[in-house]
Amino acid sequence: MSAMVTTFLFAVLACVVIVSCATSPQMASPGDALPLVRDPHSFARPDEIVVTHLDLDVAVDFAKKTIAGKAALTVDNRKGARQLVLDTRDLAIDRVTLGAGDEPTTFTLGALDKFLGRPLTIDLKPDTKRVTVTYATSPLAAALQWLDPAQTAGKRQPFLFTQGESILTRTWVPCQDSPGVRMTYHARVTVPPALMAVMSASNPTHRHADGVYEFEMKQPVPPYLLALAVGDLEFAPLGSPRCGVYTEPAVLDRAAWEFGETEKMVTAAEALYGPYRWDRYDLLVLPPSFPFGGMENPRLTFATPTILAGDRSLVSLVAHELAHSWSGNLVTNATWNDFWLNEGFTVYFEERIMEAVYGRDYSEMLAQLGLDDLKKTIADLTPEDTHLFLNLEGRDPDDGTNDVAYRKGYFFLRKIEETVGRAKWDAFLRGYFDRFAFRSMTTARFLEYLRSELVRDAATERAIGIDAWVYGPGIPANCSKIQSKALADAEAAARAYLGGAPAASLQTKGWVSHQWVHFVRQLPNSLRPEQMADLDAAFHFTTSGNSEVLVEWLT
């Protein structure tokens, strides 16, 4: 998930009111992907019996705001377990059956946990291979976002999208809801005929008159990457056989232009760290109510329309979600305590994609703005919560979704690169993605692999300061020093303005949005109204099409 709007999200909601009153290695099987670690955010016991495939057959009811149907789970009963424990939250369980013959069995729903929901414990036979749960969701299911027509761009049809990360898939599908579990899936989804359904899987490009859609995900994915969207959607290709975009009709042309360089990003990513293993890379632009920058659902990134700036100035979000196709989706954090393994790697990869496509000066601006955000985040957290490896047991795992995982993780990996050299680091990373493709990774296992394959001597270990970065608080003193002439120019312009120079006299020709963000950040909150008016008259901040510039100005 993109942190583009982590700190900016809640401000922008308020501001909207103000403004608008090589050959791919052999794929591991899902069972091989399971790490032998306990996930504190799941009731499941996958070390005993693990779900390897999901067959989903459900109907979407906009009037009731529910999804109802059957989830048939193929299981690998490794230890002859007599019970299967699934994660659920706010699900109404109608019945559970075993095998192809749908033999009824007994089940119980356990006590409610504030964050985890309720365990669904199902009685099995030792030879059970398939378990089918008939169920319905609650209208208040946390993963299901039901939008009225007024909340969409077209204002004509309702819209539904799901958000499974971190532990919300259990609110719409009974499953082993842990990032350490991987499964393939097939889905049959029935929706109103006027709408189109798409998922994090193979997708249609045209609406089906009967409202019935079938999907296939052949690569094993953790449950949090199971995603569905239903709405008034159309598709446009992005000048590449493997890239396209889905949006509401009113937004389609803008989105197709904005994302026109997506194939360049995919090509740059493959040149860095190996083949793209998910067949297609498409984007879905969600209605304005989508509360995140983006979500890396495999094959189909969910993206906010706020990145449609009209000048491709916010497409680093696409690079971020694309990078997740390697870091996060391909090699996944085993638990949410290891979240930095998803996001720190992805920010690093994002910066490298942006450097390859737009140049080093551009990526350094992103790095500096990210460091500024990281410092603000750390100032608001307890020391323990500024470690990369976290202890989130008994807490909502979303508590770890902040700039520490994203940006501190990035600067740790950047420090490794700067210490050992880019060539060695790139070779290590490519080997890492190949070696652990379609598997899960813990912090301890990654560090063991790092030390065995790359950091083999005490001097290099000391230069990096591995333990200080991973298990220590704050930003280590050896953090990289960013040198961005473009942002230095923005700082100089801000000083000149505060020194009395009129806004119109400032040398800002050719600036990109990151310079404008940095410029506004240098201005004190004590600006007088006439100064604000002078700046707005010269630079038109209030009518900016760039959401990041706009939020800095409005706040």
Side-chain angles (χ1 to χ4, degrees):
M1 182 183 297
S2 173
M4 181 186 77
V5 287
T6 300
T7 55
F8 137 83
L9 169 61
F10 298 106
V12 83
L13 295 178
C15 293
V16 168
V17 175
I18 295 170
V19 173
S20 61
C21 262
T23 301
S24 176
Q26 183 177 2
M27 184 186 300
S29 72
D32 291 339
L34 181 71
L36 296 176
V37 294
R38 185 182 71 87
D39 183 350
H41 294 108
S42 174
F43 294 113
R45 299 194 291 264
D47 57 323
E48 299 176 2
I49 178 171
V50 63
V51 173
T52 61
H53 181 77
L54 166 68
D55 283 298
L56 193 65
D57 189 350
V58 294
V60 176
D61 190 326
F62 277 90
K64 294 181 180 178
K65 294 187 177 179
T66 61
I67 293 176
K70 296 181 179 181
L73 307 166
T74 301
V75 297
D76 177 8
N77 195 345
R78 300 173 167 189
K79 297 184 178 179
R82 301 305 296 262
Q83 292 182 324
L84 170 67
V85 181
L86 301 177
D87 295 301
T88 75
R89 180 175 152 193
D90 299 328
L91 295 182
I93 308 299
D94 181 45
R95 65 195 296 258
V96 181
T97 60
L98 306 180
D102 287 330
E103 178 185 347
T105 188
T106 53
F107 63 90
T108 58
L109 278 169
L112 177 66
D113 180 272
K114 179 180 179 181
F115 299 118
L116 308 186
R118 304 173 71 182
L120 172 61
T121 303
I122 300 166
D123 293 321
L124 305 178
K125 296 180 178 180
D127 61 349
T128 298
K129 301 296 184 184
R130 184 177 173 92
V131 178
T132 301
V133 181
T134 303
Y135 72 100
T137 65
S138 162
L140 299 178
L144 304 181
Q145 306 300 303
W146 302 92
L147 305 181
D148 294 329
Q151 295 173 284
T152 69
K155 313 297 183 188
R156 298 186 307 163
Q157 298 285 357
F159 201 102
L160 165 68
F161 67 88
T162 67
Q163 173 57 39
E165 191 178 22
S166 300
I167 56 171
L168 298 181
T169 297
R170 66 191 68 183
T171 71
W172 77 283
V173 178
C175 59
Q176 292 180 320
D177 196 7
S178 168
V181 173
R182 302 185 81 96
M183 63 183 185
T184 55
Y185 75 85
H186 172 271
R188 184 178 189 271
V189 182
T190 302
V191 305
L195 304 179
M196 178 188 284
V198 291
M199 292 192 74
S200 53
S202 58
N203 277 305
T205 56
H206 297 91
R207 197 164 300 173
H208 293 180
D210 61 359
V212 178
Y213 296 85
E214 296 208 26
F215 306 92
E216 194 78 35
M217 172 49 78
K218 296 180 180 180
Q219 295 91 340
V221 295
Y224 77 89
L225 293 177
L226 181 68
L228 168 69
V230 181
D232 182 12
L233 295 173
E234 291 185 0
F235 173 82
L238 293 176
S240 163
R242 60 177 171 179
C243 298
V245 60
Y246 295 84
T247 75
E248 294 182 71
V251 185
L252 189 62
D253 290 343
R254 289 174 55 209
W257 184 88
E258 201 80 25
F259 302 141
E261 296 183 330
T262 299
E263 176 60 34
K264 288 184 180 180
M265 293 185 181
V266 180
T267 301
E270 289 184 313
L272 285 167
Y273 299 128
Y276 179 79
R277 293 168 169 90
W278 304 93
D279 302 322
R280 288 193 59 85
Y281 182 73
D282 295 321
L283 297 111
L284 169 66
V285 178
L286 289 166
S289 304
F290 183 56
F292 303 103
M295 180 62 206
E296 65 271 15
N297 300 310
R299 295 179 63 113
L300 187 65
T301 284
F302 284 18
T304 170
T306 60
I307 66 172
L308 303 180
D311 59 2
R312 295 178 176 165
S313 59
L314 295 178
V315 293
S316 61
L317 178 136
V318 178
H320 182 94
E321 306 309 337
L322 169 64
H324 269 302
S325 302
W326 286 260
S327 50
N329 298 1
L330 189 65
V331 183
T332 309
N333 49 223
T335 75
W336 299 111
N337 291 336
D338 306 291
F339 183 56
W340 78 274
L341 289 172
N342 275 19
E343 296 298 349
F345 275 78
T346 298
V347 172
Y348 177 85
F349 200 170
E350 167 198 347
E351 301 274 343
R352 292 294 302 277
I353 293 171
M354 297 304 287
E355 178 183 334
V357 176
Y358 297 108
R360 177 74 172 183
D361 289 345
Y362 192 97
S363 63
E364 284 295 87
M365 284 192 285
L366 296 175
Q368 181 61 61
L369 294 175
L371 182 59
D372 294 344
D373 290 337
L374 175 60
K375 290 175 180 178
K376 293 177 183 177
T377 297
I378 284 178
D380 293 333
L381 296 174
T382 64
E384 293 77 13
D385 281 349
T386 66
H387 297 191
L388 286 180
F389 179 70
L390 297 172
N391 178 11
L392 296 170
E393 186 163 3
R395 300 169 61 184
D396 187 334
D398 286 349
D399 288 352
T401 306
N402 57 48
D403 283 315
V404 173
Y406 290 74
R407 290 293 169 178
K408 185 177 178 181
Y410 159 77
F411 280 106
F412 171 45
L413 301 184
R414 177 168 170 157
K415 185 62 185 179
I416 299 174
E417 177 211 312
E418 292 172 349
T419 303
V420 304
R422 176 169 283 192
K424 289 182 178 180
W425 172 241
D426 281 352
F428 169 83
L429 269 189
R430 181 158 183 159
Y432 170 76
F433 290 128
D434 285 346
R435 170 68 180 82
F436 298 105
F438 300 101
R439 289 173 168 84
S440 298
M441 180 61 58
T442 65
T443 298
R445 188 177 186 189
F446 169 72
L447 295 184
E448 178 184 5
Y449 185 72
L450 177 68
R451 286 167 167 140
S452 68
E453 300 296 320
L454 188 65
V455 182
R456 298 190 179 99
D457 61 274
T460 305
E461 171 101 17
R462 285 194 300 272
I464 297 169
I466 294 175
D467 287 345
W469 277 98
V470 177
Y471 301 114
I475 305 173
N478 66 349
C479 184
S480 304
K481 308 301 180 186
I482 310 298
Q483 293 185 342
S484 170
K485 181 181 183 303
L487 295 189
D489 290 344
E491 292 171 7
R495 288 194 299 271
Y497 182 73
L498 295 175
S505 71
L506 301 179
Q507 300 301 307
T508 62
K509 185 178 180 180
W511 277 18
V512 297
S513 64
H514 311 299
Q515 289 171 286
W516 288 115
V517 167
H518 197 61
F519 172 80
V520 177
R521 285 182 175 182
Q522 309 309 305
L523 303 176
N525 289 336
S526 58
L527 285 178
R528 299 186 307 277
E530 57 269 25
Q531 291 177 296
M532 299 282 283
D534 180 36
L535 289 163
D536 212 15
F539 306 129
H540 312 291
F541 290 132
T542 301
T543 56
S544 173
N546 185 295
S547 58
E548 293 191 338
V549 174
L550 183 63
V551 75
E552 293 293 343
W553 173 247
L554 293 175
T555 53

